[in-house]
Structure formats: structure tokens, C-alpha cells
């Protein structure tokens, strides 16, 4: 009934196998994004953290966060296709999404810890230039090795909903 929506949907299918899988798994995403009024909105890490906070209260918080991330990746991609953002805007929105997801994961670990864990984003994450498919180059500060492993596991565990973000903790000499 909407040729413009059909055209946009076909562009998404043509552009990305990942996003095609997202839409086949959750077809309601397309309508939520297209009609939700969020396509014109540039979401900061703070806004995304507010949206993520309620998801973290559930036992299946990891999967809820994975679904949220996929929906946001789709929203950012559609913003790109519609010309509502440029490459720099995409990089910033992807970086904000990664920052918000990582912060939620660290907060989750720190709720049960007396020794707080902190994370420093390096590379594209640190500079706000994350691209589709980028991993997160990070360094853990404080906490314990177990806390860092728990955070890594939470972010990278593969489930039916995918992963939250790939992470690289190897330091580079440069």
C-alpha cells in the first residue's frame, strides 16, 4: 500500500544480509522505526542509556539489549538511506550506541562489585568514528579480572539474538 516504504524495504534487503535477517526475525521493527517518529532524531549516548536502563532490569537483559541494538542499527541505516544523516553522523550515532551498550554492561557488573570496573574506549570508539561492523577497542581499568571477563562475556556472548558488540582488548604498541 506504500510504494515508498516498499522501496525503502527493498533497499535495506539489497544493502545488507544482516539487516535482512534482522527484519525477517523481527518484521515489526520496520513499522516501529518508520512510524515511530525517531527517524529525524539524532540519539546521543545519554538518550540511548535512558532507553536501555529499563531493559537491564530483566533476567534476560542481554537478549533485550541485543534486540535493542539491532533495532538501532536498522534505524541508523534507514536514516542513512533517507539522507537524514551523513557519514560523520552515522559514525557518531554508532559510537553513541556502542558507548551506551558498554556503559549498561559495566553498570551491570558494578552493581555486584565493591571494586568498580571502568572502561576506556580506544580506536574508532574512542574517537567517535565507529562504522558498521567495527569492533570496540577497549581497555579495562580497576575492578577484577573476573569483572572484566563477565563484562566481555555479556557483550560478546552469541545467542539467537546475536551479540551486543564485538570487543577487542588487545593493546597495540602504537
Amino acid at each position: 500500500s506504500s510504494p515508498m516504504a516498499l522501496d525503502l524495504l527493498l533497499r535495506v534487503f539489497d544493502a545488507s544480509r544482516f539487516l535482512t535477517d534482522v527484519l525477517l526475525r523481527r518484521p515489526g521493527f520496520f513499522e516501529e522505526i518508520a512510524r515511530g517518529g525517531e527517524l529525524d532524531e539524532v540519539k546521543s549516548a545519554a538518550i540511548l542509556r535512558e532507553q536501555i536502563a529499563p531493559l537491564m532490569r530483566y533476567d534476560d537483559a542481554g537478549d533485550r539489549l541485543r534486540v535493542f541494538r539491532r533495532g538501532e542499527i536498522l534505524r541508523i541505516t534507514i536514516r542513512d538511506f533517507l539522507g537524514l544523516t551523513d557519514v560523520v553522523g552515522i559514525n557518531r550515532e554508532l559510537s553513541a550506541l556502542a558507548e551506551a551498550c558498554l556503559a549498561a554492561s559495566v553498570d551491570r557488573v558494578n552493581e555486584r562489585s565493591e571494586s568498580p570496573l571502568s572502561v576506556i574506549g580506544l580506536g574508532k570508539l574512542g574517537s567517535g568514528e565507529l562504522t558498521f561492523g567495527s569492533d570496540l577497542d577497549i581497555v579495562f581499568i580497576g575492578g577484577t579480572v573476573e569483572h572484566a571477563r563477565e563484562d566481555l562475556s555479556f557483550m560478546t556472548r552469541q545467542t539467537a539474538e546475536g551479540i551486543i558488540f564485538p570487543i577487542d582488548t588487545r593493546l597495540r604498541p602504537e
Side-chain angles (χ1 to χ4, degrees):
S1 68
S2 173
M4 288 176 51
L6 178 59
D7 179 60
L8 182 58
L9 191 57
L10 291 173
R11 288 173 64 188
V12 170
F13 286 160
D14 185 49
S16 169
R17 177 67 190 172
F18 169 76
L19 293 176
T20 299
D21 291 342
V22 168
L23 285 172
L24 290 176
R25 184 168 177 81
R26 299 205 179 272
F29 269 0
F30 186 77
E31 187 169 343
E32 287 174 30
I33 291 168
R35 295 186 185 195
E38 294 184 346
L39 284 176
D40 292 329
E41 183 180 355
V42 176
K43 293 186 181 182
S44 67
I47 290 169
L48 291 163
R49 286 188 76 174
E50 287 177 13
Q51 292 178 325
I52 289 170
L55 306 176
M56 301 305 290
R57 297 183 188 127
Y58 295 91
D59 291 337
D60 63 345
D63 277 339
R64 288 174 186 258
L65 187 54
R66 287 171 182 84
V67 170
F68 177 83
R69 174 199 175 259
R70 285 180 164 196
E72 285 300 307
I73 297 282
L74 180 63
R75 184 188 67 81
I76 293 166
T77 302
I78 290 173
R79 283 178 43 74
D80 177 30
F81 288 168
L82 293 174
L84 299 173
T85 189
D86 58 9
V87 173
V88 173
I90 292 168
N91 297 151
R92 287 187 180 143
E93 285 194 69
L94 290 170
S95 298
L97 176 60
E99 180 184 329
C101 290
L102 191 56
S105 178
V106 170
D107 289 348
R108 181 183 158 278
V109 169
N110 285 339
E111 284 176 1
R112 298 182 305 276
S113 171
E114 292 181 17
S115 177
L117 180 68
S118 297
V119 175
I120 296 175
L122 305 172
K124 290 180 180 180
L125 174 62
S127 65
E129 298 173 337
L130 215 60
T131 60
F132 293 108
S134 292
D135 62 6
L136 308 183
D137 295 321
I138 61 171
V139 174
F140 290 105
I141 306 292
T144 65
V145 172
E146 290 78 24
H147 294 138
R149 285 188 182 138
E150 182 180 344
D151 186 61
L152 278 171
S153 175
F154 184 80
M155 291 289 290
T156 62
R157 183 178 311 122
Q158 180 71 42
T159 72
E161 300 296 346
I163 65 170
I164 298 171
F165 272 100
I167 292 180
D168 184 359
T169 57
R170 296 171 293 163
L171 293 174
R172 292 171 182 79
E174 65 273 19

